[in-house]
Amino acid sequence: MSDNRPPDLSPSEAAQRWLDKRSVSLAEQTLTNYGYRLKVFTDWCYSEGIESMQDLTPWLIDEFDAKRKGDEMAPISLANHQKTVKSWLEWAEEVGIAPEGVASPIEVPDVERSQHVSNLKLDQETGLELLKEFRSGSDRATK
């Protein structure tokens, strides 16, 4: 009889597996964003000496959540970061590579619609340079 237990993965290995699985249904830029957000978490894990997904506990996740909320970032950025980490941890629980309950301490803040956009205004020269770059960009789907 074969052993059907999931492997003992590091946070980085688990993140890569989740990203690989999601790559079928997500745009490349979305995957890049998710990868960056998960790297923040996996870097924190290593700084805390967490080498296995099985080492995660709800308390440790609550510590991470509190740390992120103390970082200076826009509310929408924090919400996006926390939403990504929570989704990933929920998947890790579902497939059995993380203990049950580790995703629950992540609180995704509610963000008012007005905070979804920036009110930053560019000077005319910078704006024109960005438009020129956008319109001639090689990564555009259509030109």
Side-chain angles (χ1 to χ4, degrees):
M1 185 168 203
S2 67
D3 184 6
N4 288 329
R5 288 181 290 175
D8 186 20
L9 298 178
S10 70
S12 291
E13 291 168 329
Q16 190 57 56
R17 182 174 173 105
W18 186 73
L19 291 169
D20 289 346
K21 185 176 177 120
R22 304 290 316 265
S23 68
V24 175
S25 60
L26 296 176
E28 188 175 327
Q29 186 60 49
T30 301
L31 282 172
T32 300
N33 292 340
Y34 283 7
Y36 168 75
R37 294 170 191 160
L38 292 178
K39 184 168 179 357
V40 171
F41 180 81
T42 59
D43 286 351
W44 174 84
C45 285
Y46 292 120
S47 74
E48 296 295 312
I50 300 164
E51 296 179 3
S52 167
M53 292 296 287
Q54 290 297 319
D55 294 338
L56 296 173
T57 66
W59 174 254
L60 288 170
I61 300 302
D62 190 64
E63 288 288 305
F64 173 78
D65 187 61
K67 179 202 170 303
R68 290 302 285 163
K69 288 181 176 153
D71 292 344
E72 288 188 28
M73 62 173 49
I76 189 67
S77 296
L78 177 62
N80 287 337
H81 277 249
Q82 299 302 74
K83 193 181 314 180
T84 300
V85 172
K86 187 174 186 86
S87 294
W88 171 64
L89 287 172
E90 288 170 343
W91 166 82
E93 286 180 32
E94 289 171 9
V95 298
I97 61 172
E100 285 189 37
V102 295
S104 60
I106 297 283
E107 295 176 354
V108 178
D110 289 330
V111 179
E112 293 180 25
R113 185 89 175 130
S114 64
Q115 294 177 316
H116 285 230
V117 295
S118 173
N119 292 328
L120 178 68
K121 294 186 180 187
L122 300 174
D123 62 80
Q124 184 177 8
E125 183 178 331
T126 303
L128 290 172
E129 286 176 28
L130 289 170
L131 278 173
K132 182 179 177 184
E133 184 177 326
F134 172 76
R135 289 180 178 154
S136 66
S138 62
D139 60 340
R140 291 203 47 221
T142 60
K143 288 189 177 185

